[in-house]
Amino acid sequence: IIVTLYILIASHPQITVSFHVNTNVHVHPRIRAWDLSDYRTSTSLDGKGFGAGTASKSKSKKKKLKQAKSKSPTAGFAKAPEPVRRSPSPAATPPPPIAPPPPITASTSQEKLLAQLAAAASVGCIGRAVSSSPLRPGDDPFWEMIPSLLSSMFAHVPDSELTRVAGFIRHTLDPSLALEDDIIADPWRPHGEIHAYMPGLGERTPFLDPSRIQLCQLMTQYYDTILLEYEALLADQTDRFQSVTSLNYKSGWKTMVLFYNGHRIPNFPYHLCPITTQILESVPIAGRIAGFNRQEPQSGIPLHSDGNNMWLTCQMGLKIPGGVAADQASIRVGPETKFWKERECLLYDTTYEHETVNRSGWCCTWIFSMCWP
């Protein structure tokens, strides 16, 4: 056991031990004279009761011992044996020190793979958009990675379907590029306020047909359920309406945000509005926010434009004074004005100047989301 423990401990890479073996060991004569051939595992009881088989042996041993003592005064005592000397065990050799791991560096194969990916992406429309911009190598690593990142994430998308995305990148990296004529020539679209632009989206009008968007279709179909879930959120006794911009704060327009940048809000009680959540998650959500809008009585958002042509705004009236025959809450987009009504969607382009008004004495509520055109 001792040897085994020694081997186990000595072999541990972080422990160095040595054993001292005591050579002054005396072995009792009875142990040295032990003879396994005399060992008996059983004894005959020969019918004399328990222990009867050992009684005769005990008497025989006593008689022999008495005879030995009568012959010699030292009889019966064995001479002290010579000390058993054992050669000391060799000192344990400490294990070699553990070498530190080599520094982590990119392997040659990884570097080659990244270089091949960058080379392949550079010849696509996204790569050409970045390389043709005023951006110089090293100016912005983010945009330098974009061609490789998009080509790896959307490898199944043909280059011909990414031309509009390439146009957005080109206009983002070079704001001096001219916008398309349909924006510049339209007096209702303040093109000087455009800050996010994607070319090639076709002609626009202030209001568009909501039936062309799946999100509008789902909102209209599940109006009753969405209204019940909205009322359940109100009954939760937590005011979740907020002003997302200073413009909204001053104009009485507030928002209960369900999604921000396409993601759920932490700790929001989505269990109270499962169908509404499912509808908003069933389509790609564009823009920053999606949720419920509320306009305070006798208030309205002043004239402005959002400066982003890449998405449309979809709103459906939930609780409008006057119901479907309402004429108190309206929105003007460009030269056109429309009234919000319950169970009806409005789809409009916010690159046009627009403003809202609620002339009634009641709050108006909509469910809304940005969506891709």
Side-chain angles (χ1 to χ4, degrees):
I1 295 175
I2 293 176
V3 173
T4 303
L5 290 175
Y6 174 80
I7 294 173
L8 289 176
I9 297 175
S11 62
H12 195 282
Q14 298 180 350
I15 299 177
T16 302
V17 298
S18 61
F19 267 41
H20 174 72
V21 179
N22 184 7
T23 57
N24 298 319
V25 177
H26 293 274
V27 181
H28 195 277
R30 290 185 180 273
I31 297 178
R32 296 184 64 203
W34 186 271
D35 186 359
L36 291 178
S37 62
D38 292 337
Y39 181 70
R40 300 290 186 270
T41 58
S42 62
T43 305
S44 174
L45 299 181
D46 62 12
K48 297 182 180 179
F50 183 77
T54 60
S56 60
K57 285 189 177 182
S58 179
K59 290 180 180 179
S60 175
K61 288 182 179 180
K62 289 180 180 180
K63 185 177 180 181
K64 291 180 180 180
L65 183 58
K66 187 176 180 179
Q67 292 175 353
K69 286 181 178 182
S70 62
K71 294 180 180 179
S72 174
T74 58
F77 294 92
K79 184 180 180 181
E82 293 294 329
V84 178
R85 300 188 179 276
R86 301 178 182 176
S87 58
S89 301
T93 304
I98 301 176
I104 300 176
T105 58
S107 64
T108 305
S109 60
Q110 289 176 328
E111 293 176 352
K112 288 183 178 180
L113 180 61
L114 292 175
Q116 292 173 358
L117 184 61
S122 64
V123 299
C125 61
I126 303 295
R128 294 195 302 271
V130 174
S131 61
S132 63
S133 71
L135 190 69
R136 300 276 70 87
D139 288 349
D140 193 335
F142 170 78
W143 288 107
E144 293 176 0
M145 289 193 314
I146 284 296
S148 299
L149 181 63
L150 294 182
S151 64
S152 61
M153 293 180 62
F154 303 101
H156 61 286
V157 179
D159 205 53
S160 59
E161 295 186 14
L162 296 174
T163 54
R164 294 190 301 183
V165 179
F168 162 73
I169 294 176
R170 190 174 290 110
H171 277 269
T172 301
L173 296 179
D174 189 0
S176 65
L177 292 178
L179 304 180
E180 293 172 305
D181 292 340
D182 66 317
I183 290 185
I184 297 177
D186 196 328
W188 300 101
R189 303 175 80 180
H191 58 272
E193 299 179 6
I194 297 293
H195 58 82
Y197 180 71
M198 179 178 286
L201 295 180
E203 295 185 4
R204 290 284 184 85
T205 58
F207 289 95
L208 297 94
D209 181 10
S211 63
R212 60 178 280 188
I213 303 294
Q214 182 187 11
L215 178 62
C216 296
Q217 299 172 9
L218 292 172
M219 285 182 177
T220 303
Q221 180 181 353
Y222 289 94
Y223 166 82
D224 295 320
T225 303
I226 294 173
L227 178 59
L228 290 174
E229 292 183 349
Y230 168 72
E231 292 175 343
L233 289 171
L234 294 181
D236 194 37
Q237 298 182 350
T238 300
D239 186 7
R240 296 184 174 86
F241 279 97
Q242 58 183 300
S243 296
V244 294
T245 67
S246 58
L247 177 69
N248 294 344
Y249 176 78
K250 298 175 181 179
S251 60
W253 181 282
K254 293 186 177 182
T255 303
M256 182 191 295
V257 181
L258 272 70
F259 289 86
Y260 185 79
N261 286 340
H263 299 282
R264 292 192 179 195
I265 305 299
N267 303 320
F268 190 89
Y270 290 100
H271 64 282
L272 298 177
C273 53
I275 301 301
T276 303
T277 302
Q278 184 177 351
I279 291 174
L280 293 176
E281 289 183 328
S282 66
V283 295
I285 297 177
R288 292 186 305 145
I289 52 179
F292 296 101
N293 291 140
R294 185 176 68 191
Q295 180 76 67
E296 298 295 328
Q298 301 297 320
S299 65
I301 297 179
L303 192 65
H304 71 287
S305 68
D306 292 345
N308 190 326
N309 79 323
M310 292 187 296
W311 58 60
L312 303 173
T313 298
C314 171
Q315 289 175 320
M316 181 182 70
L318 279 180
K319 300 180 73 173
I320 308 296
V324 295
D327 58 358
Q328 298 295 305
S330 63
I331 179 172
R332 180 178 73 84
V333 182
E336 301 182 36
T337 299
K338 291 196 175 186
F339 292 94
W340 275 297
K341 299 179 180 181
E342 292 179 356
R343 207 183 289 264
E344 291 187 11
C345 287
L346 294 180
L347 183 67
Y348 55 93
D349 182 353
T350 57
T351 59
Y352 289 86
E353 62 178 30
H354 55 284
E355 59 183 343
T356 68
V357 62
N358 177 16
R359 301 179 183 87
S360 73
W362 306 90
C363 289
C364 300
T365 307
W366 305 264
I367 180 174
F368 86 101
S369 176
M370 274 51 166
C371 55
W372 302 107

